[in-house]
Amino acid sequence: MPKNFYTLLILPKKHSSAKKISLSGTVVKGVSIFFMSLILFMMYFSYDYIHIRRDQAELKRLKAQTAQQRQQIDALVAKVEQFSNKMEDLRQFDKKIRIMANLETKKEKGQVLGIGGPVSEESRLSSKMAADDRELIAGVQKRVDRLMDDAVVREQSFASLLALLKEKKSLLAATPSLWPVMGWVTSEFGKRVNPFGGEIEFHKGIDIATKNGRVIQSPADGVVTEVSYQQDLGQMIQINHGHGISTMYAHLSRALVREGTAVRKGDRIGLVGSTGRSTGSHLHYAVMLNGVPINPRKYLN
């Protein structure tokens, strides 16, 4: 047999004669090339199929991730919208308090209270659907930055408002608005005829005639700065209320406080009497602003 032929023997399991197949070298080579090509094609097809499947799986994962991110963006937009509404409520609340406390600035007086409002839900959703994700995120970021700036302004505004209200509260507590004692006003503030000589004089307070021994109350918060006995005023007390305001009580029968005592509005400070230069049981009550006597009726309710 020539060299370019190959013999294939087939041996069956049972006892039978062997079969012999002779193939030329050209056929064997062609069959080998065919099977090798088929194997390579199957390998390429399998690789391409696996690659496609992997891309599909990655695409599916990215779609799911995109959907989740979209939900997160929508939730963020909703929270920013709520934050914006809360900041608007705080701004309106700030303005209302300032109006009630008469603390408006010139800039705030030109602002209109309680009109306008956030964009409608339909407009917001349509705007989101039409916008690109990056533009939407950039817009949300800008809005958050504006809201943070507004939050800082609100914080500063509330801090200044609190300081102003504390100052007003302190001033209100220091204002001698209570009558120190109940009785008849027998001599007003201003010019009068002196009861001891008949000449015209300036009366620096008011005289309140009342029962001897009646309790005198502090008309405002303050600190007792003087408790003494003087020839003309008799037993007297002076209280500094701060903010340049002080009060003086004269002709007492007895002082119930000492110098340095802190008193609150309504506290007992002394008893009505007729000591010093006096014609009868009464209280001489005076109010000074920065050392200048003023009419006590300016503060009395």
Side-chain angles (χ1 to χ4, degrees):
M1 182 176 293
K3 293 182 179 180
N4 57 348
F5 274 85
Y6 297 91
T7 301
L8 178 62
L9 292 176
I10 299 174
L11 301 175
K13 292 182 179 180
K14 296 182 179 180
H15 299 288
S16 60
S17 59
K19 294 182 179 180
K20 181 172 67 174
I21 299 174
S22 297
L23 299 172
S24 66
T26 303
V27 173
V28 172
K29 187 181 293 185
V31 172
S32 299
I33 292 172
F34 172 77
F35 277 106
M36 287 296 293
S37 300
L38 182 61
I39 291 171
L40 290 174
F41 176 76
M42 292 298 295
M43 289 177 63
Y44 174 78
F45 179 78
S46 298
Y47 172 79
D48 192 51
Y49 177 75
I50 293 171
H51 185 70
I52 291 173
R53 294 284 295 183
R54 187 178 62 186
D55 288 346
Q56 288 178 343
E58 180 67 15
L59 181 61
K60 185 177 180 181
R61 187 187 67 82
L62 289 175
K63 284 183 177 180
Q65 184 177 359
T66 301
Q68 183 180 8
Q69 289 176 347
R70 186 69 188 203
Q71 291 177 353
Q72 292 174 349
I73 291 173
D74 290 344
L76 177 60
V77 170
K79 288 183 179 179
V80 171
E81 188 72 26
Q82 292 176 359
F83 187 23
S84 178
N85 293 339
K86 288 294 183 183
M87 289 304 302
E88 178 63 20
D89 291 342
L90 286 176
R91 189 185 71 81
Q92 298 289 349
F93 182 61
D94 186 318
K95 185 169 178 62
K96 287 178 182 177
I97 292 178
R98 289 180 179 275
I99 290 173
M100 289 188 292
N102 196 23
L103 299 174
E104 282 186 291
T105 63
K106 291 182 178 180
K107 181 179 178 181
E108 289 169 333
K109 287 182 179 179
Q111 297 176 356
V112 181
L113 177 64
I115 65 171
V119 180
S120 66
E121 187 72 11
E122 293 79 7
S123 299
R124 185 177 65 83
L125 290 175
S126 61
S127 175
K128 286 197 302 172
M129 292 172 65
D132 181 74
D133 283 348
R134 290 185 179 179
E135 293 180 359
L136 180 61
I137 294 174
V140 170
Q141 184 62 48
K142 288 181 181 179
R143 192 167 186 184
V144 169
D145 291 340
R146 287 197 300 269
L147 287 172
M148 290 303 297
D149 293 339
D150 193 22
V152 172
V153 172
R154 286 302 116 217
E155 181 181 13
Q156 293 172 349
S157 177
F158 278 122
S160 65
L161 180 60
L162 182 61
L164 287 170
L165 290 176
K166 284 183 177 179
E167 180 68 18
K168 281 210 165 190
K169 181 181 178 182
S170 175
L171 181 59
L172 182 62
T175 301
S177 57
L178 294 181
W179 283 83
V181 68
M182 298 307 295
W184 295 95
V185 177
T186 54
S187 183
E188 294 283 357
F189 177 86
K191 290 183 180 180
R192 72 170 184 176
V193 177
N194 189 304
F196 292 98
E199 70 273 12
I200 301 298
E201 68 174 3
F202 189 87
H203 192 217
K204 298 180 180 179
I206 59 175
D207 290 340
I208 307 173
T210 188
K211 180 182 177 182
N212 188 67
R214 178 161 286 181
V215 173
I216 303 167
Q217 63 178 352
S218 175
D221 295 355
V223 177
V224 178
T225 55
E226 183 179 355
V227 177
S228 64
Y229 190 94
Q230 299 182 17
Q231 185 176 359
D232 55 344
L233 297 175
Q235 182 67 50
M236 60 85 65
I237 297 172
Q238 186 162 336
I239 300 176
N240 183 0
H241 301 284
H243 304 280
I245 302 172
S246 61
T247 53
M248 190 263 287
Y249 315 82
H251 308 300
L252 279 62
S253 63
R254 180 184 172 193
L256 301 179
V257 291
R258 292 183 292 183
E259 291 184 9
T261 303
V263 294
R264 303 295 296 271
K265 182 178 289 189
D267 284 356
R268 295 156 50 101
I269 59 173
L271 304 178
V272 173
S274 185
T275 57
R277 197 170 181 225
S278 170
T279 60
S281 176
H282 77 286
L283 171 67
H284 173 76
Y285 175 55
V287 178
M288 282 75 68
L289 180 61
N290 297 320
V292 179
I294 60 175
N295 193 340
R297 286 188 179 272
K298 179 180 178 181
Y299 297 106
L300 294 174
N301 294 324

